Amino acid sequence: MTKKIDTILADVRNSLMAGNYGQLATLIPALETAEAQVPSNDLARLKALKAEAERTAHCLQAALSGVRAARRRVAEISEAAKGLTTYDREGHKATVPNGAPASRRV
């Protein structure tokens, strides 16, 4: 019963570290189900589970931070592809579009 929650927490951590975020869609509901079956009268067991859950939470936070950073970087690259952003003397923003690459003589 409680062994199952340990296994699920380990599977969640392993999925996060491997970048297999799609597997979380099945693991999280299973984790919620297993959580409901944990006996609340075994304090030593609950402390151990808390430590495992905190470890998994740190992995989740790190993965979320990485995904956010990747999204920001993709947005930056998309903006750069639109052209060069500059400011005129009055401080108004202007975008200079990327032109066609100059042809090279061979």
Side-chain angles (χ1 to χ4, degrees):
M1 189 182 314
T2 55
K3 179 74 170 164
K4 184 175 181 179
I5 195 167
D6 291 339
T7 304
I8 295 170
L9 285 170
D11 289 345
V12 168
R13 279 193 310 276
N14 291 334
S15 295
L16 290 169
M17 288 196 243
N20 188 4
Y21 302 131
Q23 190 175 5
L24 296 176
T26 57
L27 290 173
I28 299 302
L31 183 62
E32 291 170 349
T33 302
E35 177 189 16
Q37 298 172 356
V38 175
S40 60
N41 57 356
D42 186 357
L43 289 179
R45 183 73 185 124
L46 289 174
K47 284 182 181 180
L49 282 175
K50 181 183 177 196
E52 288 295 314
E54 287 173 349
R55 186 172 162 202
T56 303
H58 288 297
C59 288
L60 281 166
Q61 290 169 348
L64 183 57
S65 177
V67 169
R68 286 180 182 147
R71 290 182 67 168
R72 278 192 305 271
R73 184 66 183 135
V74 168
E76 290 171 1
I77 291 169
S78 296
E79 279 298 312
K82 292 178 185 175
L84 175 66
T85 301
T86 62
Y87 295 88
D88 63 15
R89 290 182 186 185
E90 286 103 33
H92 298 108
K93 190 174 181 179
T95 301
V96 179
N98 287 338
S103 61
R104 293 183 352 190
R105 287 188 166 175
V106 182

